[in-house]
């Protein structure tokens, strides 16, 4: 029954991914890149090595940092603003339909339209910055999309060490969760692995591995805040709708019971509603996450293709492929994006499916 | 359990303020679209035009009119097809246990995450080979296929909420695969269809990259016309803003008119993961 | 799981597939067609449409398909064109910048037909400047037909404002650096700048003034290293000039940078001569009195050009119609229809100047007498790979203001792109 869909997806998703992976291992992009039958050589992981350690791919590395930062801020902001809006609207307010529509309609716009709108709103000498001037104050001077200031800067050279520490922390968390569930073998293994990784990263060979022959600082760009604002404006209404549906689905007896037990309104939300909204949060997380990963049109329309402070991997992939004619390198950027998503998404998907099955028996 | 007044006031104040903030970009866009090109200056960005300049809308409309039919045909057909297939897939994945389902589901949903820019070239070649390049059918096919992951996800989550007893009792009664779908699942699917349809309609209506690459001019949807308004060396903001408003009207209308159903669909528990 | 219904579903899908495939036969290209691929839209649309109208007069039986792809700062058109070419389905003819954007991308890949015979038939070699033909040629042939010429190295200003501030248009960058501090004190931005590519645009004018036409050319032939002291000096001078530009540059389009000059917020702007079109047509200013121009500092007597051309791709579905189109494009008549509308000049030395406005007349004079060099940002002197990476080099410099780092990076990309050794 699934088979027609599966066949289509096999070709359109996995066939094309397979081809992209293959291309990423070649040198397609030399002199005659655009010949009808270009000569392509297999070069192994060269493209990837260049992206992560090449002198000239500093832009790609900053793009990765930007994407991480954007995803965290955008998903976090959309979830919290969406929840706040839902809770406000859930208070049986008058004109609920009007408010709902106002918060929901940005979702119906194309990202290009949103980008064009916000480009105007965030012009340093004509957008929100001049609003204070209208009431006689000094105008703000924040360079929304072009600010070059960064914080939480780190040296890309030492990335293996940071990654090692990160993995060690994650393993330690796994171990502690396991301990709390009173298992033995798992936590012990995880604990040992955590220790080993930490040792490797701080004292062992990991502390000497240098990705680059020179220091290269990357950090979180201020300029992305404008993009986060626009993207949140567009998608918070959607999470609001999801949460609102969830809140209305919470049985009122549960809330009543909590109130009878002397819980304040805030406590009711914290201990009764929020836990029940968890599955919705997960659904929203997937949808927002995939928007964040693929964010392209919005940045392009807001800040243009070459504005490094707001650039993301999807943009450099597009430019590398179609403007720079380096088709193999573009393919490797695409593969890196896919790997990053899979690491985040596949465990969730498998898990969601399994637990559902288990629940249904 | 009426709440006290100051609290209510605070809630309304917060809502009104947020709504005002939400409408700021719209205000900016509308006034910009009504200005003559030489009147669009950073310094006066917040001020409405002295006299509305409707010409931009006329120009935008001239370019959009021939493309609107394409967009409509594309969005409606692709939405219906991807919803129908998604619903069948969701039904299978939620109600029929079979080996490998736990693998197939993630594999299907994963399709959502491919960056489409990276598969443009093979996609083009594929459509050329099956002789579907250039017209709407090819574009519809592409949107249906890349819509499948999300429609399948949404429908599966929706059907998972429908008690299995309904299905198993029907099976005992001798109902088979399609009859159960037709007589039990489908009648319950209304809300899910609304949610999926709204999502798909807006996504497809607003999509640009496939639209511009896979069609020839006579089959192109409005997003391509919109990009052309903003293109070239000369960008006058009145045109793209007016075009944006025209291009967004259909989807915004869908939201305003169907918003109630959308909410009702959500309320029916369509999206519990 | 029961599979009984699968046949019904397959039938249903087949019906859908057939009904989708139905219209396909109608799409099979009729013989009498000419598909013209370009990124001209918006304000440039009318000029292209005038050309198409002329073609339709000459060949009423051919159905012209105007495949314009704009948006995305020009990259959308590149993406579509490259996808189509790699997919083995070229348009009948497409717009491409003269120089390496044509040669380094399409000619080296054997995707274009040699047009030397057409040049001979039409006698174009005697009416087009040799410098231009060289940019369209390799030792194997001439590869496209130019329709227009734009100038990149122009300095724009408002004479009335300069008078008010008591300054004159600088003849060299040293002059500029002398008057800039006083302008800054008056609260005026000495030089208005826009987004990333306009910085590169300014850079090429600065480089041309510092290097002169011969060394500029040597740079692209791999005879002058990017790490040489001369080029290092270019970056240093560029850095000094940037101190006198607006901080919000990356947020501004090139028009908004021009607006700053027109509104008296800035004194000068370096931009291509499409800026003249913007000021005359959109802002309704009078060339020569309301606004004025000069060669960008230190480049008097040099014309840094870019040119839009059309070519004949190998395997064009309607080759004969394309040839007719190219034949018309190169004619004096068609060029004098197109260029006054586009706000550019005709590359032909015999064009009828009475049809052009004051700015274009002066540009045409310079075109006929000046030394001609090619622009970097607009695809003439370097291949696309270099151009794409140069945007990154520019970002490195804007971020660090480190002349040495920028020189090193530029040398590295020049090696990768096959320009330097």
């Amino acid at each position: 029954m699934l088979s027609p869909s599966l066949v289509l997806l096999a070709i359109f998703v996995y066939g094309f991914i397979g081809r992209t992976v293959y291309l990423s291992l070649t040198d397609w992009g030399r002199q005659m890149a655009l010949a009808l039958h270009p000569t392509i050589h297999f070069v192994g992981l060269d493209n990837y090595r260049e992206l992560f350690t090449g002198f000239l791919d500093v832009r790609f590395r900053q793009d990765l940092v930007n994407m991480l930062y954007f995803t965290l801020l955008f998903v976090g902001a959309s979830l919290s603003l969406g929840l706040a809006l839902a809770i406000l609207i859930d208070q049986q307010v008058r004109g609920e339909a009007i408010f709902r529509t106002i918060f929901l309609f940005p979702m119906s716009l194309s990202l290009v339209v949103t980008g064009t709108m916000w480009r105007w709103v965030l012009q340093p000498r004509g957008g929100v910055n001049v609003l204070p001037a209208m009431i006689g104050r000094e105008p703000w001077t924040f360079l929304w999309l072009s600010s070059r200031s960064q914080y939480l800067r780190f040296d890309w050279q030492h990335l293996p060490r940071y990654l090692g520490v990160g993995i060690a922390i994650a393993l330690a968390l796994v171990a502690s969760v396991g301990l709390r569930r009173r298992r033995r073998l798992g936590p012990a293994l995880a604990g040992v692995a955590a220790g080993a990784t930490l040792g490797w990263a701080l004292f062992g060979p990991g502390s000497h591995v240098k990705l680059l022959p020179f220091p290269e600082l990357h950090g979180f760009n201020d300029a992305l805040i404008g993009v986060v604002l626009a993207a949140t404006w567009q998608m918070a209404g959607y999470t609001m709708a999801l949460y609102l549906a969830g809140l209305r689905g919470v049985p009122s007896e549960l809330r009543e019971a909590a109130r009878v037990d002397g819980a304040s309104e805030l406590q009711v939300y914290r201990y009764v509603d929020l836990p029940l909204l968890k599955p919705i949060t997960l659904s929203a997380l997937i949808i927002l996450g995939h928007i964040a990963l693929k964010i392209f049109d919005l940045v392009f329309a807001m800040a243009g293709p070459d504005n490094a402070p707001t650039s993301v991997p999807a943009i450099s992939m597009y430019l590398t492929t179609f403007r720079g004619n380096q088709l193999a390198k573009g393919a490797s950027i695409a593969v890196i994006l896919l790997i990053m998503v899979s690491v985040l998404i596949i465990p969730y998907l498998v898990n969601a499916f399994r637990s559902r099955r288990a629940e249904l028996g | 359990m009426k709440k006290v007044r100051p609290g209510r006031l605070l809630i309304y104040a917060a809502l009104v303020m947020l709504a005002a903030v939400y409408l700021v970009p719209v205000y900016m866009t509308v006034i910009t679209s009504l200005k003559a090109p030489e009147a669009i200056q950073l310094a006066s960005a917040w001020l409405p035009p002295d006299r509305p300049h409707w010409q931009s809308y006329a120009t935008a409309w001239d370019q959009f009119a021939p493309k609107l039919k394409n967009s409509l045909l594309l969005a409606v057909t692709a939405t219906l097809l991807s919803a129908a297939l998604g619903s069948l897939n969701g039904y299978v994945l939620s109600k029929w246990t079979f080996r490998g389902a736990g693998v197939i589901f993630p594999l299907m949903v994963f399709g959502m995450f491919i960056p489409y820019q990276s598969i443009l070239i093979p996609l083009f070649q594929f459509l050329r080979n099956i002789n579907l390049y250039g017209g709407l059918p090819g574009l519809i096919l592409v949107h249906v296929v890349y819509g499948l992951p999300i429609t399948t996800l949404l429908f599966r989550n929706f059907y998972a909420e429908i008690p299995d007893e309904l299905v198993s009792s029907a099976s005992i009664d001798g109902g088979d695969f399609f009859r159960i779908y037709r007589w039990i699942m489908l009648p319950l699917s209304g809300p899910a269809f609304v949610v999926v349809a709204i999502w798909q309609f807006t996504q497809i209506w607003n999509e640009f990259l496939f639209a511009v690459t896979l069609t020839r001019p006579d089959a192109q949807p409005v997003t391509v016309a919109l990009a052309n308004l903003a293109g070239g060396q000369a960008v006058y903001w009145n045109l793209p803003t007016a075009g944006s408003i025209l291009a967004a009207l259909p989807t915004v209308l869908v939201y305003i008119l169907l918003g109630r159903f959308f909410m009702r669909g959500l309320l029916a528990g369509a999206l519990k993961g | 799981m029961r599979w009984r219904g699968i046949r019904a579903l397959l039938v249903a899908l087949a019906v859908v597939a057939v009904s989708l495939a139905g219209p396909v036969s109608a799409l099979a290209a009729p013989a009498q067609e000419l598909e013209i691929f370009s990124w001209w839209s918006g304000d440039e649309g009318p000029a292209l449409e005038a050309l198409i109208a002329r073609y339709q007069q000459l060949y009423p039986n051919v159905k012209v398909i105007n495949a314009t792809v704009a948006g995305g700062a020009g990259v959308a058109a590149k993406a579509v064109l490259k996808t189509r070419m790699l997919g083995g389905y070229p348009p009948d003819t497409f717009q491409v910048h003269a120089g390496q954007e044509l040669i380094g991308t399409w000619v080296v890949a054997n995707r274009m037909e040699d047009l030397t015979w057409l040049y001979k038939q039409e006698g174009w070699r005697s009416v087009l400047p040799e410098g231009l033909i060289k940019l369209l040629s390799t030792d194997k042939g001439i590869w496209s037909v130019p329709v227009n010429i734009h100038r990149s190295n122009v300095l724009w200003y408002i004479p009335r404002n300069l008078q008010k501030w008591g300054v004159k248009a600088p003849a060299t960058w040293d002059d500029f650096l002398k008057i800039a501090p006083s302008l800054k004190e008056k609260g005026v931005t000495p030089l208005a700048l826009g987004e990333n590519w306009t910085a590169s645009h300014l850079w090429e004018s600065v480089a041309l003034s510092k290097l002169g036409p011969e060394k500029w050319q040597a740079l692209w032939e791999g005879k002058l290293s990017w790490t040489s002291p001369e080029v290092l000096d270019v970056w240093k001078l560029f850095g000094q000039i940037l101190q006198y530009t607006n901080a919000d540059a990356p947020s501004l389009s090139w028009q908004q940078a021009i607006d700053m000059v027109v509104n008296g917020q800035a004194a000068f702007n370096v931009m291509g001569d499409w800026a003249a079109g913007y000021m005359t047509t959109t802002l309704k200013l009078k060339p020569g009195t309301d606004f004025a121009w000069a060669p960008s500092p230190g480049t008097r007597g040099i014309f840094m050009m870019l040119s839009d051309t059309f070519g004949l791709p190998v395997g064009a579905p309607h080759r004969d119609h394309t040839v007719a189109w190219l034949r018309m494009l190169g004619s004096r008549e068609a060029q004098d229809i197109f260029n006054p509308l586009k706000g550019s000049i005709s590359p032909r030395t015999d064009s009828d100047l009475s049809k052009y406005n004051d700015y274009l007349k002066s540009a045409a004079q310079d075109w006929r007498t000046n030394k001609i060099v090619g622009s970097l940002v607009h695809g003439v002197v370097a291949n696309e790979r270099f151009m794409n990476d140069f945007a990154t080099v520019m970002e490195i410099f804007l971020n660090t203001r480190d002349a040495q780092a920028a020189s090193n990076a530029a040398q590295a990309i020049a090696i990768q792109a096959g320009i330097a050794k």
Side-chain angles (χ1 to χ4, degrees):
Chain A
M1 193 36 249
L2 284 167
S3 41
S5 301
L6 287 179
V7 169
L8 286 173
L9 287 174
I11 298 172
F12 279 74
V13 175
Y14 294 96
F16 294 167
I17 288 181
R19 184 183 170 282
T20 308
V21 171
Y22 163 70
L23 285 180
S24 75
L25 302 173
T26 68
D27 66 348
W28 191 15
R30 303 203 172 271
Q31 274 261 302
M32 294 185 42
L34 287 155
L36 196 50
H37 302 287
T39 36
I40 296 178
H41 306 282
F42 188 82
V43 296
L45 295 173
D46 275 7
N47 290 311
Y48 296 94
R49 201 179 54 223
E50 230 175 84
L51 283 172
F52 283 103
T53 62
F55 168 49
L56 289 172
D57 288 296
V58 44
R59 171 171 177 173
F60 167 75
R61 296 189 280 272
Q62 181 60 46
D63 285 355
L64 275 186
V65 179
N66 285 350
M67 186 181 91
L68 186 72
Y69 183 45
F70 172 78
T71 306
L72 289 177
L73 279 186
F74 162 65
V75 173
S78 298
L79 289 179
S80 39
L81 181 60
L83 182 61
L85 288 173
I87 291 177
L88 282 175
I89 286 189
D90 193 35
Q91 309 300 319
Q92 286 143 20
V93 291
R94 275 160 196 259
E96 182 192 314
I98 297 173
F99 284 119
R100 250 174 19 206
T101 310
I102 289 179
F103 297 131
L104 202 55
F105 90 92
M107 196 196 139
S108 70
L109 304 176
S110 82
L111 289 163
V112 180
V113 173
T114 313
T116 316
M117 289 179 166
W118 279 88
R119 187 185 161 106
W120 269 99
V121 177
L122 298 180
Q123 283 289 345
R125 270 183 302 121
V128 286
N129 276 7
V130 300
L131 283 181
M134 291 187 165
I135 51 166
R137 302 274 181 86
E138 278 292 296
W140 292 319
T141 52
F142 185 61
L143 296 174
W144 285 96
L145 298 167
S146 46
S147 163
R148 287 181 188 276
S149 64
Q150 294 186 328
Y151 36 96
L152 291 179
R153 299 182 78 161
F154 64 93
D155 191 345
W156 187 268
Q157 255 188 327
H158 303 308
L159 193 67
R161 201 192 299 174
Y162 301 141
L163 278 182
V165 174
I167 292 171
I169 292 174
L171 283 171
L173 278 177
V174 169
S176 76
V177 168
L179 276 181
R180 224 185 302 156
R181 290 193 187 155
R182 296 172 194 210
R183 299 205 185 116
R184 281 207 193 127
L185 189 61
L189 279 179
V192 170
T197 323
L198 200 64
W200 175 85
L202 292 183
F203 312 108
S207 61
H208 308 304
V209 175
K210 282 187 176 169
L211 274 183
L212 299 168
F214 46 88
E216 182 183 284
L217 290 180
H218 291 285
F220 290 146
N221 282 327
D222 258 358
L224 276 167
I225 293 171
V227 186
V228 172
L229 271 181
T232 307
W233 177 79
Q234 180 146 36
M235 291 311 297
Y238 184 66
T239 40
M240 170 203 78
L242 295 184
Y243 279 129
L244 195 51
L247 288 175
R248 302 258 155 107
V250 174
S252 51
E253 306 88 61
L254 274 181
R255 290 186 187 170
E256 274 314 305
R259 288 195 187 100
V260 169
D261 288 347
S264 72
E265 274 311 296
L266 270 181
Q267 282 171 323
V268 171
Y269 272 110
R270 171 67 187 83
Y271 294 105
V272 179
D273 291 325
L274 279 186
L276 289 168
L277 294 179
K278 225 169 163 185
I280 295 183
T281 310
L282 284 176
S283 284
L285 216 61
I286 284 214
I287 293 189
L288 296 175
H290 105 284
I291 292 172
L293 160 85
K294 289 204 284 193
I295 194 85
F296 172 78
D297 303 356
L298 181 70
V299 183
F300 217 104
M302 276 180 90
D306 288 313
N307 191 43
T310 56
S311 181
V312 288
I315 288 186
S316 42
M317 168 178 56
Y318 186 68
L319 296 178
T320 310
T321 308
F322 292 115
R323 196 172 69 178
N325 301 335
Q326 292 180 263
L327 294 112
K329 200 178 233 180
S332 357
I333 301 181
V335 172
I336 292 168
L337 277 181
L338 269 178
I339 291 175
M340 291 179 55
V341 190
S342 347
V343 168
L344 292 175
I345 294 300
I346 290 190
Y348 161 68
L349 286 176
V350 174
N351 195 25
F353 195 84
R354 289 244 176 89
S355 61
R356 170 68 58 194
R357 285 266 139 234
E359 200 178 293
L360 294 174
Chain B
M1 35 150 272
K2 272 251 168 203
K3 276 150 205 142
V4 278
R5 276 198 75 76
R8 300 294 289 170
L9 267 181
L10 219 63
I11 287 168
Y12 278 106
L15 275 175
V16 168
M17 221 183 66
L18 281 165
V21 170
Y22 253 73
L23 290 173
V24 161
V26 182
Y27 167 77
M28 198 85 147
T29 311
V30 171
I31 60 166
T32 309
S33 72
L34 289 173
K35 288 179 184 174
E38 70 271 16
I40 300 176
Q41 298 284 342
L42 280 179
S44 59
W46 290 100
L47 306 175
D50 302 335
R51 200 174 336 119
H53 172 89
W54 293 100
Q55 185 52 40
S56 322
Y57 283 89
T59 313
W61 176 253
D62 282 346
Q63 304 212 12
F64 284 9
K67 315 275 187 195
L68 274 172
K69 206 186 80 190
N70 293 331
S71 274
L72 211 62
L73 209 62
L74 164 74
V76 170
T77 321
T79 302
L80 290 181
L81 284 174
S82 62
L85 283 173
S87 147
L88 280 170
N89 293 341
Y91 163 56
V92 175
L93 284 169
S94 60
K95 293 292 171 248
W96 296 83
T97 346
F98 59 95
R99 272 173 62 101
V103 178
I104 284 179
F105 176 63
L107 280 180
M108 287 184 80
V109 177
F110 188 63
M112 260 164 75
F113 297 99
I114 21 174
Y116 296 137
Q117 302 92 331
S118 71
I119 46 107
L120 211 50
I121 294 167
L123 180 63
F124 178 89
Q125 282 166 332
F126 184 78
L127 285 184
R128 275 277 294 159
N129 288 338
I130 59 168
N131 213 2
L132 278 180
Y133 163 80
L136 277 181
L139 194 56
I140 291 173
L141 175 72
V142 171
H143 278 300
V144 170
V145 175
Y146 289 117
L148 277 178
I150 190 152
T151 57
T152 303
L153 173 79
L154 294 178
F155 272 108
R156 193 201 70 97
N157 289 350
F158 180 79
Y159 290 144
E161 298 292 310
I162 294 177
D164 282 358
E165 293 78 52
L166 272 178
V167 178
S168 44
S169 62
S171 307
I172 293 162
D173 293 347
D176 74 354
F177 182 82
F178 274 101
R179 283 179 49 197
I180 294 175
Y181 177 73
R182 171 68 189 83
W183 299 108
I184 298 180
M185 305 304 276
L186 207 53
L188 296 171
S189 307
F193 267 103
V194 174
V195 175
V196 168
I198 287 190
W199 176 269
Q200 280 294 88
F201 186 85
T202 42
Q203 293 301 307
I204 296 170
W205 184 277
N206 290 330
E207 199 277 337
F208 171 69
L209 194 66
F210 289 149
V212 75
T213 318
L214 304 176
T215 54
R216 301 194 355 147
D218 49 357
Q220 280 165 349
V222 283
T223 39
V224 180
L226 177 61
N228 284 352
L229 278 183
Q233 268 166 338
V235 183
Y236 308 135
W237 291 103
N238 55 320
L239 275 180
T241 45
S244 300
I245 290 171
L246 283 184
L249 272 183
T251 43
V252 171
L253 279 180
V254 165
Y255 268 72
I256 293 176
L257 297 178
L258 294 182
R260 220 153 32 94
F261 297 101
F262 185 55
M263 286 307 293
R264 201 183 293 160
L266 289 172
L267 290 171
L271 265 158
K272 291 188 184 166
Chain C
M1 157 139 210
R2 306 185 183 195
W3 295 96
R4 254 203 278 163
I6 198 151
R7 212 175 39 174
L9 188 88
L10 283 182
V11 170
L13 274 180
V15 170
V16 171
V18 168
S19 61
L20 283 175
V24 172
S25 51
L27 282 168
Q32 300 298 310
E33 231 179 41
L34 173 71
E35 188 187 10
I36 302 167
F37 186 92
S38 78
W39 58 83
W40 280 329
S41 68
D43 231 39
E44 297 147 336
L48 176 63
E49 274 153 29
L51 273 184
I52 292 176
R54 178 67 190 136
Y55 184 83
Q56 299 271 237
Q57 271 174 4
L58 297 172
Y59 308 97
N61 296 327
V62 179
K63 183 181 171 228
V64 175
I65 299 174
N66 178 3
T68 291
V69 173
V75 201
K78 288 194 169 173
V80 175
L81 179 63
K82 286 170 187 173
T83 303
R84 287 190 58 169
M85 293 292 271
L86 286 170
Y89 190 64
D92 291 312
T93 183
F94 60 86
Q95 178 191 6
V96 60
H97 280 135
Q100 285 300 315
E101 190 179 309
L102 165 74
I103 309 284
T105 307
W106 303 114
V107 176
V108 293
N110 301 322
R111 300 306 296 271
M112 306 304 287
E113 276 194 41
D114 177 16
L115 297 171
T116 311
W117 62 274
L118 188 64
Y119 272 70
K120 274 190 192 135
Q121 268 184 16
E122 300 293 311
W124 287 338
R125 291 190 123 149
S126 54
V127 288
L128 294 175
E130 206 193 309
L132 176 62
I133 293 188
K134 228 171 93 185
L135 290 170
L136 306 171
S137 314
T138 62
D139 50 6
K140 296 203 183 80
I142 310 177
W143 305 99
S144 71
V145 179
V147 277
N148 68 351
I149 297 292
H150 275 297
R151 186 176 192 174
S152 155
N153 60 326
V154 191
L155 182 78
W156 306 95
Y157 57 91
I158 307 292
R160 212 176 307 124
N161 286 344
L162 292 199
Q163 240 169 27
K164 196 170 72 191
W165 299 321
V167 295
K168 276 199 285 198
T172 65
W173 285 112
D174 285 342
D175 290 352
F176 171 80
L177 293 174
K178 261 178 230 146
I179 58 174
S182 72
L183 285 168
K184 212 172 175 179
E185 268 167 36
K186 294 190 178 82
V188 178
T189 304
L191 188 67
L193 194 65
E195 56 197 307
N196 179 299
W197 74 264
T198 71
S200 299
H201 188 105
L202 172 64
W203 185 89
E204 70 181 16
S205 271
V206 174
L208 182 62
S209 78
K210 200 84 191 162
L211 298 174
E214 283 77 28
K215 283 189 179 163
W216 173 255
Q217 197 49 41
L219 197 56
W220 305 111
E221 287 163 0
K223 291 173 189 155
L224 177 68
S225 164
W226 283 84
T227 48
S228 63
E230 292 98 319
V231 183
L232 199 62
D233 283 348
V234 171
W235 286 107
K236 283 181 187 155
L237 174 60
F238 183 62
Q240 285 178 301
I241 295 167
L242 281 186
Q243 294 172 359
Y244 298 107
T245 57
N246 42 311
D248 63 341
S251 313
L252 301 186
S253 65
W254 68 265
Q255 286 102 329
Q256 288 171 319
I258 287 281
D259 286 346
M260 285 179 70
V261 177
V262 172
N263 297 337
Q265 292 166 311
F268 305 103
N269 178 240
V270 172
M271 186 35 61
D273 59 8
W274 42 92
Y278 172 64
M279 285 186 274
T280 8
T281 319
T282 309
L283 303 184
K284 312 212 163 57
L285 302 179
K286 205 171 142 34
T289 48
D290 292 340
F291 71 91
W293 59 91
S296 64
T299 64
R300 184 162 295 281
I302 315 171
F303 193 112
M304 184 177 259
M305 56 81 64
L306 57 127
S307 168
D308 291 298
T309 75
F310 283 84
L312 174 57
V314 173
H318 311 94
R319 188 175 178 281
D320 292 350
H321 299 321
T322 309
V323 170
W325 163 256
L326 296 177
R327 207 185 286 279
M328 184 199 86
L329 279 188
S331 71
R332 180 177 164 199
E333 186 212 0
Q335 302 219 330
D336 286 342
I337 293 175
F338 177 81
N339 284 302
L341 289 171
K342 169 79 168 76
S344 48
I345 58 171
S346 162
R348 291 180 66 118
T349 46
D350 61 350
S351 75
D352 178 2
L353 289 188
S354 68
K355 294 185 170 149
Y356 294 79
N357 71 22
D358 287 351
Y359 167 75
L360 294 173
K361 275 180 191 145
S362 96
Q365 286 307 329
D366 288 347
W367 172 247
R368 290 168 194 189
T369 54
N370 279 4
K371 185 143 186 77
I372 295 171
V373 297
S375 148
L376 159 66
V377 186
H378 305 283
V380 185
V381 286
N383 60 29
E384 291 190 297
R385 179 163 180 184
F386 182 90
M387 281 167 58
N388 186 48
D389 287 344
F390 191 77
T392 306
V393 175
M394 184 50 72
E395 277 297 326
I396 293 177
F397 184 77
L398 292 176
N399 220 1
T400 61
R401 301 288 164 101
D402 182 339
Q404 189 65 53
S407 280
N408 293 348
Q411 175 70 8
I413 65 170
I415 292 171
Q416 287 194 348
I419 291 171
K421 274 141 236 151

